[in-house]
Amino acid sequence: MEINTYSTWLEIDLNAIKCNVSQIIKITGKEVMAVIKANGYGHGARPAAQAAIQGGATWCGVARIEEALALRRAGISCKLMVLGYTPPAKIPDAIDQQIIVSIFDPDLTENYLDYARINGAKLLAHVKVETGMGRLGMLPYEVPGFLSDIKGTNIDVTGIFTHFPRADEPNSDSTIRQMQLFNDLLSNLEKQGLKPAVVHAANSAAVFNFPESHYDLVRPGNAIYGMAPAPSMKLGSEFKPALTWKARITSLRTYPPNSGISYGSIYVTKKDERIGVIPIGYGDGFRRVDGQQVLVNGKRVDIVGRVCMDQCMLQLDNVPEAKVGDEVVLIGKQGDESISVDEVAERWSTINYEVVCGLADRLPRIYKE
């Protein structure tokens, strides 16, 4: 893609994703399920999946069956799992495309079984266990009887997993308690000959903080895109952010004193001021928040006035050399300066996950290796 044809765009470094996955394999020595949900955390599902597989991932994980089917249509042929809910009517598609579904409720599983019987084929599934997330999952005491009952049916339970809500807090005993519950269940299942072949639990935070949770397979999401799983955590220098967000200055003029800038005129010039415009707004996923900055010619500049749906304004007095057409960096590095996705998340009072997942589809994504 020719970037000169765009006024704003995302640059995705696929080599960074490959290298990040390779680093996780080195750290864990386990198979990797690259989590590609939410359009690959805003990076683009198909290219992110391809890069993760090239980096050594043998699985991809998504939240919804629609995401899994889209990856299959895009030619992604690795082991593929839906980590969340699958509507029963989609079970024939899951069977046809060899997509593994999560089962976490006996009644829902009966519905799945009906569709699998009609289809006359095996549905691949992993059982999700509720150990402390408070979301989806069977309680540990329910699992042995459930697995015994379903054995020999049209549902082939090939795996078992759980999820950690506080793995980014290594000093908390919450994750340790979850693992104890999970391990007790696994031991019980093994004694009864009911333990599924594949066991997994570790999200990105647990990859780094709880090596004893790596089991047969790890499920990193944020980390494969070079983002820390929590503000309290830092990834090593070997992990590289994959995403940069850029725009161009589309207008630049000097406004006299007492000129209102943008809706509501909440910013009023105090003197002759050089004000630039970039074609970025909340319609692109850029929040309507005061006190934001971007990079122009390697210098930090303030966004002034209200962020519009499609545009926002920059105060450019300290960048006298700036001109129409110059690149502006909203997330990423320019010269010696950088603005990380974590910095943006802090300004927006949220987490880096929400920043990248909220980047609009209308933003062109340019892939580099």
Side-chain angles (χ1 to χ4, degrees):
M1 284 182 159
E2 175 52 60
I3 63 172
N4 290 330
T5 62
Y6 297 108
S7 58
T8 180
W9 66 98
L10 303 175
E11 293 180 3
I12 312 297
D13 182 351
L14 296 177
N15 193 55
I17 295 175
K18 295 177 197 175
C19 291
N20 295 339
V21 170
S22 295
Q23 286 298 325
I24 290 169
I25 293 170
K26 286 181 184 177
I27 290 168
T28 65
K30 304 293 183 179
E31 284 193 76
V32 166
M33 178 189 293
V35 180
I36 311 293
K37 62 183 179 178
N39 194 27
Y41 287 49
H43 293 67
R46 180 187 58 80
Q50 289 173 329
I53 292 165
Q54 290 168 9
T58 50
W59 297 64
C60 284
V62 294
R64 299 172 183 170
I65 185 69
E66 294 82 3
E67 295 174 314
L69 292 171
L71 286 176
R72 283 288 190 249
R73 288 193 297 271
I76 302 302
S77 59
C78 70
K79 288 174 279 191
L80 184 55
M81 180 175 177
V82 177
L83 295 163
Y85 166 77
T86 298
K90 287 288 189 183
I91 291 304
D93 292 324
I95 293 171
D96 180 63
Q97 295 298 318
Q98 291 290 288
I99 294 166
I100 299 164
V101 301
S102 300
I103 51 177
F104 47 83
D105 176 86
D107 291 337
L108 182 61
T109 305
E110 280 298 319
N111 288 334
Y112 289 178
L113 193 52
D114 289 340
Y115 277 93
R117 288 186 184 119
I118 292 169
N119 194 270
K122 288 278 189 179
L123 172 67
L124 302 176
H126 286 195
V127 172
K128 185 164 192 180
V129 184
E130 163 53 36
T131 59
M133 182 69 191
R135 201 165 63 179
L136 300 180
M138 294 184 191
L139 294 172
Y141 76 86
E142 299 176 297
V143 176
F146 172 81
L147 287 176
S148 179
D149 290 343
I150 207 169
K151 197 170 183 179
T153 69
N154 285 68
I155 296 180
D156 188 5
V157 178
T158 58
I160 187 168
F161 70 114
T162 193
H163 192 50
F164 303 135
R166 299 177 66 184
D168 58 317
E169 303 174 34
N171 295 323
S172 166
D173 62 358
S174 171
T175 304
I176 298 297
R177 289 199 305 272
Q178 285 187 265
M179 283 189 289
Q180 288 171 344
L181 281 173
F182 194 49
N183 289 338
D184 288 346
L185 171 61
L186 294 175
S187 295
N188 186 14
L189 294 176
E190 191 160 30
K191 288 174 186 174
Q192 298 182 54
L194 295 171
K195 182 182 171 186
V198 179
V199 179
H200 51 107
N203 53 14
S204 287
V207 163
F208 300 100
N209 291 335
F210 294 96
E212 61 271 43
S213 73
H214 293 170
Y215 297 107
D216 303 307
L217 173 72
V218 294
R219 303 191 309 263
N222 235 23
I224 74 172
Y225 306 103
M227 300 185 297
S232 59
M233 291 182 63
K234 301 296 179 187
L235 299 181
S237 59
E238 64 273 19
F239 285 86
K240 305 297 181 187
L243 182 143
T244 300
W245 189 0
K246 293 182 177 180
R248 293 191 189 282
I249 297 174
T250 55
S251 174
L252 199 165
R253 66 177 58 175
T254 299
Y255 285 87
N258 299 314
S259 297
I261 304 299
S262 194
Y263 288 113
S265 298
I266 60 168
Y267 182 85
V268 178
T269 57
K270 296 180 175 62
K271 55 183 177 56
D272 286 348
E273 295 186 29
R274 298 177 79 238
I275 303 295
V277 179
I278 57 173
I280 287 288
Y282 56 81
D284 302 291
F286 195 70
R287 293 282 181 85
R288 199 167 177 258
V289 171
D290 294 335
Q292 305 200 68
Q293 292 186 319
V294 295
L295 303 178
V296 178
N297 290 0
K299 299 176 184 177
R300 286 177 175 259
V301 302
D302 294 330
I303 292 176
V304 294
R306 285 186 175 142
V307 173
C308 309
M309 183 183 289
D310 312 297
Q311 300 177 82
C312 56
M313 278 54 76
L314 315 179
Q315 215 294 348
L316 295 172
D317 283 355
N318 70 332
V319 194
E321 69 277 18
K323 62 186 184 301
V324 171
D326 281 356
E327 281 190 2
V328 177
V329 171
L330 294 90
I331 297 174
K333 184 175 174 61
Q334 190 182 63
D336 295 329
E337 272 285 3
S338 64
I339 295 177
S340 69
V341 66
D342 296 287
E343 179 182 336
V344 173
E346 185 175 2
R347 282 200 207 112
W348 293 357
S349 299
T350 186
I351 54 175
N352 56 23
Y353 297 74
E354 188 177 359
V355 174
V356 292
C357 289
L359 296 175
D361 286 344
R362 73 177 184 175
L363 288 166
R365 285 153 171 84
I366 297 174
Y367 295 96
K368 299 187 169 185
E369 297 194 62

